[in-house]
Amino acid sequence: MGRIVQKFGGTSVGDLDRIRHVAGLVKREYDRGNQVAVVLSAMSGITNDLVGKVNSISPLHDTREYDAVVATGEQVTCGLMALALQSLGVPARSWMGWQVPIHTDDVHGKARITGVGTEGILSRFDEGQVAVVAGFQGIAPSGRITTLGRGGSDTTAVALAAALDADRCDIYTDVDGVYTTDPRIVPRAQKIDRITYEEMLEMASQGAKVLQTRAVELAMNQRVRLQVLSTFEDLPGTLVVDEEEIVEQQVVSGIAYSRDEAKVTLVGVDDQPGVAAGIFGPLSDASVNVDMIVQNVSGDGRRTDMTFTVGKTDKDRAVQILEGIRDTLEYGDLNVDPAVVKVSVIGVGMRSHAGVAKTMFQALSEKGINIQVISTSEIKISVLISEDYAELAIRALHTAYGLDAE
Ligand code: ASP
Ligand code: MG
């Protein structure tokens, strides 16, 4: 007998037929003698719709009431799933975040989980009951409903799996696993059988949409065995595991990309101590996330250029802040280019292999693609290029690292 958390996303519970189908997948694990907790999203489109309604009635809304509204999508799917399971003869009960309870901080709209109570669910497990748990929601110290930020039910599932000490956390979705890159761009992309937590974290934060970044972070810290698999096809998915569990490690495991970048250049800033702090301090105070940064050496030892990237949605705010400090910083021009894409090659094998960057730069140069900014970490190399070349670059890199399917 095992203990399993199964999480189903919005498309997996998108209508009543799908809810019945998912109930069958839950029953299958239950019939194998497992204790099962099911974590659900809202039906696809519902959360967007609720967010839209909140924004229409109050653009600068009270986030407590935003949470009260947007958390309702998950309540509906959980109640329906418990009923669907009961119709199949499986004892099941729905659990809202506050009933579990999923404790969070009080940052409404993007709360963090601070603890998960397990007593209630564990005693129902003993009675042979399946727990159907609302993803995405929790309860603040004040007793009010919170939500965890968009895509947050992945995080609910992982946190619950960790708290229940589950053997596995299966994330069911509309794709059958994690791919070497986006199969819509590279049809010869391959499903990855096993990927390390670190690689998955980079893939998720570099734009691969299969898992919420925070959920991967939590799985890595709590050593939760994650599996990403399809609701609609009965195929093995991708396992997210420790490095030791991977026998044949590729040097590069995958290629991710993000179109959510804008490039900002401050031309002619002083080349002296305190300038970087003077630029990035105010941006950080305004919660503008800065990603890649390059500062050139100055030819004359006095003036240099500073280039960095921010999220596209933060672009206007960043400009406003930089305009505000123009007089103190005395820079020349402020250039903003949103027509860029960040492409990253990712792999833990990079730690022990030379020449990974060379392969990347060569492949891009052979296609005549200009690299605007480069940044690296131990297991990732990212380049910023013009968005016109995004697909060409991704295809070329996929081939260059030998990732194309036969
Ligand atoms: N329903 C929420 C959303 O759409 C949470 C989730 O699906 O993970 O963001
Ligand atoms: Mg999701």
Side-chain angles (χ1 to χ4, degrees):
M1 188 185 76
R3 186 174 289 165
I4 293 170
V5 172
Q6 295 180 291
K7 183 261 169 180
F8 296 90
T11 43
S12 303
V13 293
D15 59 37
L16 296 184
D17 279 337
R18 289 184 171 184
I19 286 177
R20 287 188 195 100
H21 171 71
V22 165
L25 297 179
V26 175
K27 182 176 191 300
R28 190 167 68 177
E29 293 295 356
Y30 179 80
D31 287 345
R32 287 176 183 149
N34 292 309
Q35 296 180 330
V36 186
V38 186
V39 174
L40 299 180
S41 292
M43 291 182 178
S44 53
I46 293 295
T47 311
N48 283 344
D49 184 51
L50 293 168
V51 170
K53 287 189 165 102
V54 169
N55 287 332
S56 301
I57 215 149
S58 171
L60 297 173
H61 47 257
D62 176 341
T63 51
R64 292 174 205 79
E65 302 311 336
Y66 165 96
D67 280 349
V69 176
V70 301
T72 57
E74 275 71 11
Q75 178 157 346
V76 174
T77 47
C78 284
L80 292 172
M81 185 63 66
L83 291 171
L85 284 164
Q86 289 171 7
S87 318
L88 297 178
V90 178
R93 187 60 68 210
S94 65
W95 299 75
M96 297 307 101
W98 62 270
Q99 290 170 310
V100 175
I102 310 273
H103 296 287
T104 72
D105 60 21
D106 61 1
V107 186
H108 285 273
K110 46 173 192 281
R112 294 188 82 93
I113 296 176
T114 53
V116 178
T118 54
E119 219 174 292
I121 289 181
L122 286 176
S123 79
R124 297 305 180 93
F125 275 170
D126 287 340
E127 295 167 20
Q129 209 177 70
V130 168
V132 185
V133 177
F136 185 49
Q137 42 167 277
I139 178 172
S142 62
R144 303 211 66 88
I145 293 170
T146 51
T147 63
L148 307 179
R150 299 307 306 274
S153 45
D154 289 344
T155 302
T156 305
V158 174
L160 190 64
L164 291 172
D165 198 15
D167 299 297
R168 244 177 36 231
C169 181
D170 289 343
I171 308 278
Y172 286 84
T173 177
D174 49 1
V175 293
D176 60 358
V178 181
Y179 276 72
T180 47
T181 194
D182 187 342
R184 288 168 303 184
I185 294 179
V186 182
R188 289 168 76 188
Q190 307 184 61
K191 186 164 73 184
I192 302 172
D193 295 331
R194 283 167 183 250
I195 189 169
T196 67
Y197 292 112
E198 284 170 288
E199 289 168 327
M200 193 60 236
L201 190 58
E202 293 284 10
M203 294 282 270
S205 57
Q206 298 304 309
K209 297 269 185 290
V210 269
L211 283 174
Q212 201 204 28
T213 308
R214 262 169 64 193
V216 183
E217 225 166 38
L218 191 61
M220 179 162 91
N221 293 337
Q222 306 275 333
R223 290 291 178 259
V224 172
R225 283 179 74 83
L226 272 186
Q227 181 176 207
V228 178
L229 70 175
S230 164
T231 306
F232 307 109
E233 282 168 288
D234 201 5
L235 295 169
T238 298
L239 276 175
V240 189
V241 294
D242 268 330
E243 207 170 329
E244 299 84 71
E245 287 191 54
I246 297 183
V247 190
E248 257 186 87
Q249 185 62 56
Q250 303 279 338
V251 177
V252 166
S253 302
I255 296 164
Y257 66 95
S258 164
R259 297 184 192 276
D260 177 40
E261 311 282 326
K263 184 180 72 165
V264 180
T265 303
L266 291 173
V267 181
V269 293
D270 275 340
D271 190 8
Q272 64 179 42
V275 169
I279 296 168
F280 299 115
L283 288 173
S284 142
D285 292 344
S287 298
V288 172
N289 255 325
V290 173
D291 180 21
M292 310 167 97
I293 302 176
V294 274
Q295 184 190 339
N296 300 324
V297 288
S298 50
D300 58 3
R302 289 166 49 213
R303 298 248 151 201
T304 180
D305 299 342
M306 184 77 87
T307 298
F308 53 92
T309 62
V310 298
K312 274 208 170 83
T313 47
D314 286 342
K315 166 175 68 74
D316 295 337
R317 212 144 36 98
V319 168
Q320 201 184 11
I321 288 158
L322 294 168
E323 291 289 2
I325 54 176
R326 183 187 279 272
D327 289 343
T328 26
L329 283 177
E330 295 182 324
Y331 58 83
D333 280 334
L334 170 57
N335 300 329
V336 181
D337 180 6
V340 290
V341 57
K342 181 176 60 174
V343 179
S344 307
V345 301
I346 294 158
V348 292
M350 264 180 223
R351 285 201 200 108
S352 47
H353 282 79
V356 181
K358 186 188 101 186
T359 303
M360 182 176 206
F361 302 150
Q362 229 157 33
L364 295 175
S365 106
E366 275 161 23
K367 298 290 178 194
I369 299 170
N370 187 40
I371 301 170
Q372 303 179 11
V373 184
I374 303 169
S375 73
T376 64
S377 79
E378 226 189 345
I379 66 160
K380 175 193 74 186
I381 308 167
S382 301
V383 294
L384 196 72
I385 59 174
S386 157
E387 68 179 6
D388 296 341
Y389 298 111
E391 308 204 340
L392 182 62
I394 293 162
R395 281 193 208 107
L397 293 170
H398 200 264
T399 305
Y401 289 108
L403 296 173
D404 290 344
E406 294 299 302

